Amino acid sequence: RSLKEAIRKAADRLGMPDVLIYNAAAVTPAVPSALDPDQLLRDFRVSVAGALIAAQAVIPTMRERRRGTILFTGGGFAFE
């Protein structure tokens, strides 16, 4: 909910963006055999659900304008 609110407040002040760059991640180091499922869900909310929420917040205006760019970026965690 706070992400939606932050995007709305920014859009009210600055206008809807032409570009969304999503690079948020929550990473809890753990081996799969010791990973706490609740922690995994908390990380998922930031890393995946947050990306979905952010995209859904800007897509309607981008479609209406018939332009816009959404970039989902990440770091090197996949290599660690």
Side-chain angles (χ1 to χ4, degrees):
R1 186 186 319 212
S2 60
L3 178 56
K4 283 184 185 179
E5 183 67 16
I7 292 170
R8 187 193 61 74
K9 285 181 179 182
D12 287 349
R13 185 167 183 222
L14 305 169
M16 285 301 287
D18 292 323
V19 176
L20 167 69
I21 300 172
Y22 193 86
N23 189 343
V27 180
T28 302
V31 295
S33 60
L35 184 60
D36 175 52
D38 291 330
Q39 183 61 50
L40 177 64
L41 290 173
R42 286 190 293 274
D43 291 353
F44 186 88
R45 284 186 192 109
V46 172
S47 302
V48 179
L52 177 64
I53 290 166
Q56 288 175 337
V58 300
I59 285 172
T61 301
M62 289 181 176
R63 281 188 176 148
E64 183 180 301
R65 293 178 182 168
R66 299 182 58 87
R67 71 177 191 278
T69 302
I70 298 174
L71 300 171
F72 299 104
T73 63
F77 289 127
F79 300 110
E80 298 296 323

